[in-house]
Amino acid sequence: MIRNILGSLVALAGAASAVLSPFRDWYDGRAGQDYRVRDLFEGITATESGVLVSILLPFLFAALLVIAGVVLRSRLAVALAGLVVLGFTILWMVRQGQAAGSLTVGGDGAGLQVGVVNALAGGVLMLIGALLMRGRGRGVARARREREREREREPVEPYGAPPADQVDMWPPTQEPGMSTHTSPWPEPEVDPYTGPDPHDPRTRSYPQAPPPGRAGDPRDPVHPPQRPP
């Protein structure tokens, strides 16, 4: 966490230095905003440039990239921004050396001036900030590994034991049973109740008809049916 904060501050300081550098003098009293972006690819000319089409444009892009990298904790984005600033600054130095014949550094306003130093320092600070940041990927991976270790340390219980005074559904057979039941075998099933057995005299609720061939009507042996008058 501390490394991310420190790296973000260093990268933002580098972005600020790079954005401010085009407003400073770069060479022989000429400000960086006076150099067009196309001059870096086609050769330095004396043509004046607008602010939005000057060398400030790639530096603004790099600053936005740094802000996005800080918010997302992306070391790659911050490092890419530093390479953009250093790349355009070195390309300008090559083109300026070709146009002037050589690059000089003088204290009387001739040669390379403070604007170039600010741009180079900004790019270097961005790279240092990217190195200081821990990034987001490592933190997420480390948290995932810690969760896996905690999960491995926890005891594995396939089925939680319910309270002793409650009836649960036993997982192997999904049959109702007491929570103290520990047998892995299914419980015996009871035949469904279909009523009393008509052939069992113990379950008869009324006298049955006599077998064929026997006289009389024993359906009511106590009160036999009477013939109507």
Side-chain angles (χ1 to χ4, degrees):
M1 184 66 179
I2 297 178
R3 289 187 58 180
N4 279 330
I5 296 176
L6 182 59
S8 300
L9 293 177
V10 173
L12 291 175
S17 178
V19 171
L20 292 176
S21 64
F23 300 98
R24 311 291 295 274
D25 292 340
W26 277 47
Y27 196 81
D28 284 341
R30 188 177 182 182
Q33 62 180 351
D34 294 335
Y35 293 96
R36 299 180 301 176
V37 175
R38 60 182 298 181
D39 291 345
L40 304 181
F41 302 95
E42 299 177 357
I44 301 297
T45 62
T47 304
E48 297 293 334
S49 173
V51 176
L52 295 181
V53 293
S54 67
I55 199 174
L56 176 65
L57 182 62
F59 290 175
L60 285 176
F61 172 76
L64 294 177
L65 201 58
V66 168
I67 295 175
V70 169
V71 172
L72 301 176
R73 289 188 294 178
S74 174
R75 300 175 61 187
L76 180 61
V78 176
L80 181 60
L83 293 177
V84 168
V85 173
L86 291 177
F88 275 90
T89 304
I90 294 174
L91 181 60
W92 173 87
M93 294 174 66
V94 172
R95 292 301 185 184
Q96 183 62 42
Q98 292 176 350
S102 63
L103 289 177
T104 59
V105 179
D108 55 352
L112 297 176
Q113 293 182 319
V114 66
V116 181
V117 177
N118 287 343
L120 293 175
V124 172
L125 288 176
M126 293 179 193
L127 293 179
I128 295 175
L131 292 176
L132 291 176
M133 294 174 63
R134 298 183 64 89
R136 187 176 182 179
R138 290 185 178 180
V140 173
R142 184 178 295 103
R144 187 183 299 111
R145 288 195 297 268
E146 291 178 356
R147 287 195 299 267
E148 291 177 356
R149 294 193 190 99
E150 293 178 358
R151 193 177 298 112
E152 292 175 356
R153 288 193 296 265
E154 293 178 356
V156 179
E157 296 182 0
Y159 306 106
D165 58 344
Q166 295 184 6
V167 178
D168 66 330
M169 298 298 291
W170 183 245
T173 60
Q174 293 298 318
E175 295 289 340
M178 297 302 296
S179 61
T180 57
H181 178 69
T182 58
S183 174
W185 303 103
E187 297 180 357
E189 296 184 359
V190 181
D191 295 336
Y193 178 76
T194 58
D197 187 2
H199 303 288
D200 189 354
R202 293 174 301 177
T203 59
R204 292 179 182 175
S205 59
Y206 56 88
Q208 301 295 323
R214 182 176 298 179
D217 188 1
R219 287 178 294 176
D220 191 355
V222 179
H223 303 286
Q226 303 292 329
R227 186 181 302 274

